[in-house]
Amino acid sequence: MQETRQNRIARLLQKELAEIFQSETRKLHGVLVSVTRIRVSPDLSICTAYLSIFPSEKGDELLENISSNEKTIRYDLGKRVHNQLRIIPELRFFKDDSLDYIEHIDDLLKQE
């Protein structure tokens, strides 16, 4: 269970990462990346971000691109939160496919 400090830092990182992705995806028309959930390790050294990518067909390609540019994203994040955090956590990105799962369940229910 996450503590209060972890939750506050997770909310801060989620907000800032969402703004970073929003500004970067404006260049890619028709692509939307949203940060659905953030988990921060107890020692605040690792930040696990779950991303929802629309359209989902481009999800794997975009997630691979994001993961390869992890150091640049961490640097941009550091410039934004350097007053709030002393150490910027290491970033890890995963695809949040819960919306695809819900859509799949809806399709199965409609078939019956």
Side-chain angles (χ1 to χ4, degrees):
M1 183 155 163
Q2 290 190 341
E3 298 296 321
T4 306
R5 179 164 169 73
Q6 283 176 279
N7 289 333
R8 284 189 301 156
I9 290 174
R11 283 193 306 267
L12 172 70
L13 294 175
Q14 183 174 5
K15 179 177 138 308
E16 296 298 336
L17 280 174
E19 289 178 8
I20 290 171
F21 287 130
Q22 183 181 22
S23 66
E24 291 299 317
T25 56
R26 280 190 189 132
K27 301 169 189 168
L28 304 170
H29 298 290
V31 176
L32 178 68
V33 177
S34 60
V35 182
T36 56
R37 188 174 54 216
I38 295 282
R39 299 269 187 229
V40 180
S41 65
D43 63 351
L44 308 177
S45 65
I46 298 172
C47 170
T48 305
Y50 295 90
L51 306 176
S52 177
I53 301 171
F54 180 82
S56 58
E57 297 84 38
K58 297 182 180 181
D60 294 330
E61 174 189 340
L62 215 54
L63 187 64
E64 186 178 310
N65 188 8
I66 288 169
S67 294
S68 66
N69 291 320
E70 178 182 315
K71 293 198 185 311
T72 307
I73 296 169
R74 184 177 180 198
Y75 175 76
D76 291 342
L77 182 65
K79 286 195 304 187
R80 290 172 173 258
V81 298
H82 70 277
N83 290 332
Q84 289 96 346
L85 295 177
R86 187 168 50 96
I87 297 173
I88 307 305
E90 177 185 329
L91 299 175
R92 295 183 182 164
F93 297 103
F94 294 98
K95 184 178 175 187
D96 183 11
D97 55 357
S98 59
L99 293 177
D100 294 335
Y101 180 72
I102 291 170
E103 186 176 317
H104 177 69
I105 296 296
D106 283 345
D107 290 343
L108 290 175
L109 290 174
K110 288 178 184 176
Q111 287 178 0
E112 293 181 7

